[in-house]
């Protein structure tokens, strides 16, 4: 296990994050520190661990590693304590969970626990999965382990969705979102994106995770955990359609790109905090 990495944030970082995942000027609770209900959208929990030091190098884990071929595959977030502070000093500690060999690709999963630096209280737990194109075939385990909510299939029911939320991203979405800490050039530099096999820079997975998570939060209330698989890429400017089904305490959801009809997020669900569930 690595030693902890500090992450310090202020109200300004909260507003920047909220704007990065589509908060509007009329959403005063997200964009104005003077509002009585000023808050950070709970998907923010993926930000403090993002730069956490991990006790390994991808180069040492898989053959042919190249940052240009790295895609975000899945994300699982637990919010272990509400309300989420709008300014704090946190410490994140990461560990390697598993390396899976998909033949062409490798899948590497890390787990990061984030605590309040002053109180030691756990605030967030994340599992982040990266999909490394061209890094498979090394004879590793073929299937990921069952990790409960973090790996659940979350197949949508056959009925029509209970709620649908449409949100257009802006052409500047990735340029804005990156200021919350993911400076991967894949999202803004056309030359880098091209080397990674894309015609133009693609949107951060965690940006459209935030947009979908915001829709779940606004329609159903606070969640204790949320899991997504990034099933397809999104270009800044495209419109996201998030379909949600409430199944007991759980909201199963998926997000499609309106312009292409293709799935961007699949296998996704959020388990609501007891007593929530507005619908
Ligand atoms: O699904 C394809 C795809 O393109 N998904 C979208 C990826 C994306 O846009 N991600 C977000 C942008 S990248 C980003 O934000 C990077 C960021 O800056 C840095 C992140 C750092 C994170 C934290 C640091 C620690 C693709 C390419 C992923 C897979 O498509 P295919 O190659 O066609 O694969 P497919 O045939 O569907 O499946 C092959 C096997 O792989 C498994 N799999 C598929 N998608 C997966 C995945 N596993 C994990 N995550 C995914 N997203 C399948 O289950 C299949 O396995 P099996 O054969 O055993 O069933």
């Amino acid at each position: 296990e690595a030693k902890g990495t500090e992450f310090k944030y202020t109200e300004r970082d909260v507003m920047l994050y909220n704007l990065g995942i589509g908060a509007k000027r009329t959403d005063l609770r997200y964009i104005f520190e003077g509002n009585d209900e000023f808050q950070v959208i709970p998907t923010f929990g993926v930000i403090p661990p993002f730069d956490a030091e991990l006790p390994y190098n991808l180069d040492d884990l898989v053959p042919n590693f190249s940052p240009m071929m790295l895609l975000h595959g899945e994300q699982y977030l637990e919010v272990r304590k509400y309300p989420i502070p709008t300014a704090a000093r946190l410490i994140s500690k990461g560990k390697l969970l598993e390396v899976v060999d998909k033949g062409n690709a490798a899948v590497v999963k890390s787990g990061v626990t984030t605590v309040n630096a002053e109180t030691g209280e756990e605030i967030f737990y994340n599992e982040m999965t990266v999909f490394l194109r061209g890094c498979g075939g090394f004879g590793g385990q073929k299937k990921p382990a069952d990790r409960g909510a973090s790996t659940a299939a979350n197949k949508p029911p056959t009925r029509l969705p209970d709620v649908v939320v449409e949100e257009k991203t802006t052409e500047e979405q990735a340029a804005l979102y990156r200021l919350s800490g993911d400076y991967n050039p894949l999202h803004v530099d056309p030359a880098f994106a091209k080397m990674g096999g894309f015609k133009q820079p693609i949107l951060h997975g965690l940006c459209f995770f935030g947009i979908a998570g915001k829709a779940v939060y606004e329609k159903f209330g606070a969640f204790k955990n949320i899991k997504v698989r990034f099933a397809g890429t999104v270009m800044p400017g495209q419109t996201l359609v998030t379909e949600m089904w409430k199944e007991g305490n759980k909201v199963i959801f998926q997000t499609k790109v309106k312009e292409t009809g293709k799935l961007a997020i699949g296998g996704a669900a959020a388990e609501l905090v007891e007593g929530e569930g507005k619908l």
Side-chain angles (χ1 to χ4, degrees):
E1 189 162 307
K3 66 177 177 28
T5 306
E6 184 182 276
F7 181 87
K8 215 171 153 178
Y9 67 99
T10 65
E11 291 182 332
R12 182 182 186 282
D13 301 300
V14 162
M15 293 182 268
L16 186 60
Y17 175 76
N18 289 342
L19 286 165
I21 60 163
K24 307 293 179 290
R25 68 182 189 283
T26 47
D27 296 328
L28 290 186
R29 63 184 180 146
Y30 299 150
I31 60 99
F32 176 41
E33 71 290 358
N35 187 265
D36 282 346
E37 286 176 46
F38 179 61
Q39 62 183 276
V40 70
I41 296 161
T43 50
F44 176 74
V46 301
I47 300 294
F50 189 80
D51 268 339
E53 197 185 315
L54 293 166
Y56 61 84
N57 293 314
L58 290 170
D59 269 317
D60 302 331
L61 291 183
V62 298
N64 308 318
F65 173 67
S66 155
M68 282 168 292
M69 300 303 276
L70 178 151
L71 291 173
H72 203 157
E74 295 185 320
Q75 186 75 27
Y76 172 68
L77 162 69
E78 284 177 13
V79 180
R80 295 197 167 163
K81 175 97 171 81
Y82 280 100
I84 301 169
T86 53
R89 197 165 67 84
L90 307 178
I91 305 279
S92 291
K93 279 187 192 165
K95 62 179 181 204
L96 178 64
L97 296 176
E98 67 182 350
V99 183
V100 180
D101 187 345
K102 289 292 175 193
N104 289 327
V107 167
V108 176
K109 193 175 297 230
S110 318
V112 184
T113 304
T114 302
V115 304
N116 187 311
E118 317 316 327
T119 64
E121 201 165 32
E122 289 185 8
I123 301 205
F124 303 120
Y125 171 71
N126 278 273
E127 290 186 1
M128 40 266 270
T129 301
V130 289
F131 191 92
L132 308 171
R133 294 171 293 161
C135 299
F138 52 90
Q141 75 183 75
K142 296 247 174 323
K143 292 279 172 199
D146 181 347
R147 301 184 164 275
S150 163
T151 50
N154 300 320
K155 202 170 169 298
T158 49
R159 69 175 189 277
L160 289 174
D162 301 326
V163 189
V164 180
V165 169
E166 191 173 308
E167 182 157 334
K168 193 184 177 321
T169 63
T170 72
E171 307 277 340
E172 284 72 37
Q173 203 74 54
L176 177 62
Y177 178 80
R178 70 196 297 271
L179 302 179
S180 285
D182 181 352
Y183 296 102
N184 187 344
L186 175 65
H187 308 295
V188 282
D189 179 4
F192 188 98
K194 208 168 176 185
M195 287 187 284
F198 299 104
K199 285 200 198 92
Q200 64 176 93
I202 62 173
L203 192 58
H204 300 74
L206 290 180
C207 178
F208 56 98
F209 160 80
I211 292 173
K214 173 159 64 74
V216 172
Y217 176 64
E218 291 180 344
K219 296 297 175 186
F220 296 95
F223 43 79
K224 53 187 179 192
N225 63 48
I226 181 167
K227 177 250 168 172
V228 296
R229 169 175 281 203
F230 299 116
T233 52
V234 175
M235 302 303 155
Q238 286 182 322
T239 305
L240 298 171
V241 179
T242 299
E243 302 174 322
M244 296 167 258
W245 293 262
K246 187 161 187 295
E247 292 280 285
N249 193 37
K250 186 162 158 176
V251 178
I252 295 178
F253 64 98
Q254 64 182 20
T255 300
K256 286 181 178 156
V257 174
K258 190 177 185 186
E259 289 78 3
T260 61
K262 288 190 184 154
L263 206 57
I265 290 177
E271 285 182 281
L272 301 173
V273 170
E274 310 305 329
E276 293 279 344
K278 294 199 234 172
L279 280 186

